Amino acid sequence: MLLRLDATDGRPLHEQVAGAIRRAIAEGECAPGDRLPPARDLSRALGVNANTVLRGLRTLRDEGVLEFRRGRGVTVAAAADQRSHLLERARQLLADAAHLGYSRNDLIEMIRGLS
């Protein structure tokens, strides 16, 4: 798995780490059930602190994209590719709404009105 961070990106590093892993999953570099390299190895490859990588991994675990299993390490969750893609689209929608002056709650109300 080849991950890269963008030095010009203004987002916090842990968000960039999570985004890079999401992209790797969405592009098929990592499939459901695949095991990720240890956080220490990822941190060396990316040139960031191991705690930064762990924070990004925990974010993805909380989103249901990754699974942490004792003795087995971190693996890509089943259907993570679909979930990762949907979460990325939701983030983009939220950013677009904010750009147009809508709050998160305004967006939620718009979505509720669709059903």
Side-chain angles (χ1 to χ4, degrees), residues 33-95:
D34 285 355
R35 187 172 167 190
L36 268 57
R40 197 171 283 150
D41 293 349
L42 287 173
S43 71
R44 269 187 245 125
L46 295 171
V48 297
N49 187 291
N51 289 324
T52 301
V53 171
L54 288 169
R55 188 170 177 193
L57 293 174
R58 282 192 300 268
T59 297
L60 295 173
R61 177 199 59 199
D62 295 346
E63 292 174 0
V65 174
L66 298 178
E67 295 176 344
F68 289 25
R69 300 204 180 184
R70 189 181 269 335
R72 292 187 56 213
V74 179
T75 58
V76 178
D81 50 349
Q82 295 167 355
R83 182 174 174 83
S84 179
H85 179 68
L86 183 59
L87 284 169
E88 192 60 39
R89 289 178 57 199
R91 278 191 189 84
Q92 186 59 51
L93 179 61
L94 188 58

